[in-house]
Amino acid sequence: MIASRALLRSVAVVRFRIWFATALAFGALVSGLLRGQVNEEKRRDQSEETETRAAATPKPKKSPTPKTKRHHTPTPKPKTAKKKSGAKKTSDKAKKSAESKSARKEETPKPRKTPAPQVEEARTGSETAAPQPRAIAVPTPAPSPQPKPARAVSAGAQPQVVIEKSGIEEDQGFEPPPSPPPRRYGFWPWSRPVSYRYLTSSVVEAIRRAPVKRRRWQFIVVHNSGTRQGNARVFDYYHKHVRRMQNGLAYHFVIGNGTSTGNGQIEIGDRWRRQINGGHVHSDYLNNISLGICLVGDFNRDQPTRAQLDACEELIRYLRDRCGKTERGTIPVKPHREINPPRWPTDCPGDDFPYSWFRRF
């Protein structure tokens, strides 16, 4: 009996130890599983935080600089690969979580569709870049003188053609100078021909030397200086240094009134010698085709002298012979107030100027 009791006790002790060992092993397994679940939950929380950050960051990535989006979007790919590998090793639950993560990430790459506008922008950039060489190539045919003949067709634009097309003027050649005016000879009035009184030989020679092109000048315009005294040198200084005119004296000829130069004395400006446009009319077009003659004086208060009018008449008649005829006949003579554009009215050559004098021409 004693032996049987001892055996029973030993058996009970062995069973207890076995049960205790199994309980400890089971507890260890349970604790390991719990720790794994806790770690998985922590990883899930971390992954959800990263996903929320990744989902929140692409919103500002819609800025017009799509290059930054390319740098940020590929970053979650290696993280998902690491997490998937770790989940496969741990348990099936990790696989499900990885699959859910991958499904979410497949939904999140919707902002990756932004590269589409990048391609479009690249295309538009290429398209915009492509027309640039076209724009550079377009000016090459632009200089072709096609619009000019259109102006030559209209009768009113014929003077403008003469100005713009220098080649046509050169083809027409130069106007031959007229014969010099006759000189006085003999004693009796009936035996000597009429000669110029104010048009001296030096003035005539300077007018004849200038290389005048045919149909270069279409008008002769008469002005007053607006001052009671002055000469070509004074006006040249004023126009060059005060009015900042590059070619100086705006007129082609100046006729004195006896104050700074002789009464009726004719002075030739550099614009006639060089055969360049004047600066006496408020129109570039008219300056290119009209000769300017300035009579010294303010003809709103005074009248021009008789010598000035006679000298101006001699000069105009000789200039008509020198410049030749236009398509409308002889060169017309106009006062400044009649030829100036109506947008800029002027009273030049003055209210007291004898405008009936222009009827002679």
Side-chain angles (χ1 to χ4, degrees):
M1 294 294 292
I2 295 170
S4 61
R5 290 179 181 174
L7 289 171
L8 292 171
R9 289 178 182 174
S10 61
V11 170
V13 170
V14 171
R15 288 179 178 176
F16 177 77
R17 289 178 180 176
I18 291 169
W19 177 82
F20 186 76
T22 54
L24 289 174
F26 183 78
L29 290 172
V30 170
S31 62
L33 292 172
L34 291 174
R35 288 177 183 176
Q37 290 178 356
V38 170
N39 292 329
E40 288 176 0
E41 290 177 357
K42 289 181 179 180
R43 290 176 184 176
R44 288 178 184 176
D45 295 334
Q46 292 177 358
S47 64
E48 288 176 358
E49 288 177 0
T50 54
E51 287 175 0
T52 54
R53 289 177 183 176
T57 50
K59 292 180 181 179
K61 291 175 188 176
K62 292 180 181 178
S63 59
T65 56
K67 294 181 180 179
T68 54
K69 295 179 182 180
R70 291 183 177 178
H71 293 292
H72 291 288
T73 49
T75 50
K77 291 182 179 179
K79 293 180 181 180
T80 55
K82 292 179 181 179
K83 291 177 182 179
K84 288 179 183 178
S85 60
K88 288 179 181 178
K89 293 179 182 180
T90 53
S91 64
D92 295 332
K93 294 181 180 180
K95 290 180 181 179
K96 293 179 181 180
S97 63
E99 289 176 358
S100 63
K101 292 175 186 178
S102 63
R104 291 177 182 176
K105 289 177 181 178
E106 287 176 358
E107 294 177 355
T108 52
K110 288 181 181 178
R112 291 181 189 174
K113 293 180 181 179
T114 52
Q118 292 177 359
V119 176
E120 293 177 357
E121 291 177 358
R123 291 177 182 174
T124 53
S126 63
E127 290 175 359
T128 52
Q132 288 178 357
R134 292 179 185 174
I136 296 170
V138 168
T140 52
S144 62
Q146 293 178 354
K148 292 182 180 178
R151 295 180 180 176
V153 174
S154 61
Q158 287 176 356
Q160 191 170 359
V161 175
V162 175
I163 296 165
E164 293 183 354
K165 291 190 175 181
S166 59
I168 294 177
E169 294 176 2
E170 292 176 358
D171 295 337
Q172 290 178 355
F174 295 92
E175 189 71 29
S179 59
R183 297 180 180 178
R184 295 177 180 271
Y185 62 90
F187 178 76
W188 303 103
W190 58 82
S191 64
R192 60 190 183 190
V194 178
S195 62
Y196 293 102
R197 182 178 179 184
Y198 300 97
L199 206 63
T200 61
S201 58
S202 60
V203 174
V204 171
E205 187 63 23
I207 294 175
R208 294 179 77 252
R209 283 181 183 178
V212 181
K213 294 179 181 179
R214 291 181 179 175
R215 299 181 181 179
R216 170 69 172 88
W217 304 109
Q218 304 291 321
F219 295 96
I220 297 175
V221 184
V222 178
H223 303 260
N224 74 327
S225 65
T227 60
R228 289 187 169 179
Q229 58 184 1
N231 54 19
R233 183 179 59 83
V234 173
F235 299 152
D236 178 72
Y237 182 87
Y238 173 75
H239 291 163
K240 185 179 292 183
H241 298 284
V242 179
R243 296 183 60 183
R244 303 296 180 183
M245 300 177 72
Q246 184 177 1
N247 295 313
L249 180 64
Y251 311 104
H252 295 86
F253 301 93
V254 177
I255 301 177
N257 62 349
T259 55
S260 301
T261 56
N263 189 12
Q265 181 179 348
I266 300 172
E267 295 180 283
I268 301 177
D270 189 54
R271 291 179 186 265
W272 170 260
R273 293 188 177 92
R274 296 165 57 192
Q275 287 294 294
I276 61 176
N277 62 312
H280 51 95
V281 182
H282 205 108
S283 170
D284 293 336
Y285 169 70
L286 294 174
N287 282 327
N288 283 325
I289 61 173
S290 60
L291 294 171
I293 301 175
C294 177
L295 277 64
V296 178
D298 183 4
F299 302 145
N300 283 323
R301 295 181 291 178
D302 303 319
Q303 288 187 351
T305 63
R306 189 66 200 177
Q308 282 183 304
L309 295 177
D310 292 342
C312 187
E313 182 177 355
E314 291 181 3
L315 177 61
I316 289 172
R317 294 190 185 281
Y318 191 73
L319 287 175
R320 279 180 162 182
D321 293 337
R322 179 68 184 91
C323 298
K325 293 184 178 181
T326 63
E327 295 178 355
R328 295 170 292 180
T330 56
I331 300 176
V333 182
K334 299 288 183 180
H336 184 199
R337 63 166 58 180
E338 291 184 7
I339 200 171
N340 211 51
R343 184 178 177 183
W344 294 280
T346 179
D347 59 356
C348 180
D351 296 334
D352 292 340
F353 189 91
Y355 289 95
S356 60
W357 172 82
F358 287 97
R359 297 175 185 174
R360 301 181 182 184
F361 308 101

